[in-house]
Amino acid sequence: MPERVVLGLGMTSSATSGDCLAVFDELSSRDWAVVAVSTLEGKEPQAQPVADALGVPLHVWSAERLSRVNVPHPSDRARAETGTSSVAEAAAILASGGGELIQGKTSSRGVTLAVACVVD
């Protein structure tokens, strides 16, 4: 049975939904069943098409809420640009109900992606 996961996304303003999907496709060789996409408020124009392509809901979070999540790879650069030291990892953890990261943040094409298991 596939593992139920949430895809956390961070992206630059120039990254496209196609970039997001390409990065996900590079990592999705595992047996995952994506149940949601999660990101920072304001990134809906880029993230909603990803959620639509995967047939799952989109969850968005404020930078303040994301900043309260303990993550293994905080970023001073992300904090300076977004107001939180983590978007992808924190968003995946929040939308999964506090699940464990099974894919820490990976960056490519202006996209940062993380994957967390859903807590049942």
Side-chain angles (χ1 to χ4, degrees), residues 42-66:
K43 296 296 183 175
E44 295 92 339
Q46 293 158 290
Q48 187 64 61
V50 175
D52 292 346
L54 296 173
V56 299
L58 175 65
H59 299 271
V60 295
W61 309 92
S62 68
E64 190 275 327
R65 181 64 185 101
L66 292 172

Side-chain angles (χ1 to χ4, degrees), residues 15-70:
T16 66
S17 57
D19 293 327
C20 296
L21 288 167
V23 173
F24 176 68
D25 286 343
E26 292 168 8
L27 296 173
S28 65
S29 64
R30 295 181 178 94
D31 194 21
W32 294 338
V34 177
V35 298
V37 172
S38 185
T39 193
L40 177 67
E41 281 179 338
K43 296 296 183 175
E44 295 92 339
Q46 293 158 290
Q48 187 64 61
V50 175
D52 292 346
L54 296 173
V56 299
L58 175 65
H59 299 271
V60 295
W61 309 92
S62 68
E64 190 275 327
R65 181 64 185 101
L66 292 172
S67 69
R68 291 185 281 168
V69 178
N70 290 324

Side-chain angles (χ1 to χ4, degrees), residues 90-112:
I93 291 168
L94 279 173
S96 70
E100 179 181 343
L101 289 172
I102 58 171
Q103 173 66 57
K105 70 179 182 180
T106 300
S107 298
S108 179
R109 301 178 185 221
V111 176
T112 302

Side-chain angles (χ1 to χ4, degrees), residues 1 9 26 35-36 43 58 75 77 82 87 90 96 99 110:
M1 175 179 237
L9 288 176
E26 292 168 8
V35 298
K43 296 296 183 175
L58 175 65
S75 166
R77 181 175 161 203
T82 66
V87 174
S96 70

Side-chain angles (χ1 to χ4, degrees), residues 79-99:
R79 181 180 295 120
E81 293 177 11
T82 66
T84 179
S85 63
S86 174
V87 174
E89 289 181 332
I93 291 168
L94 279 173
S96 70

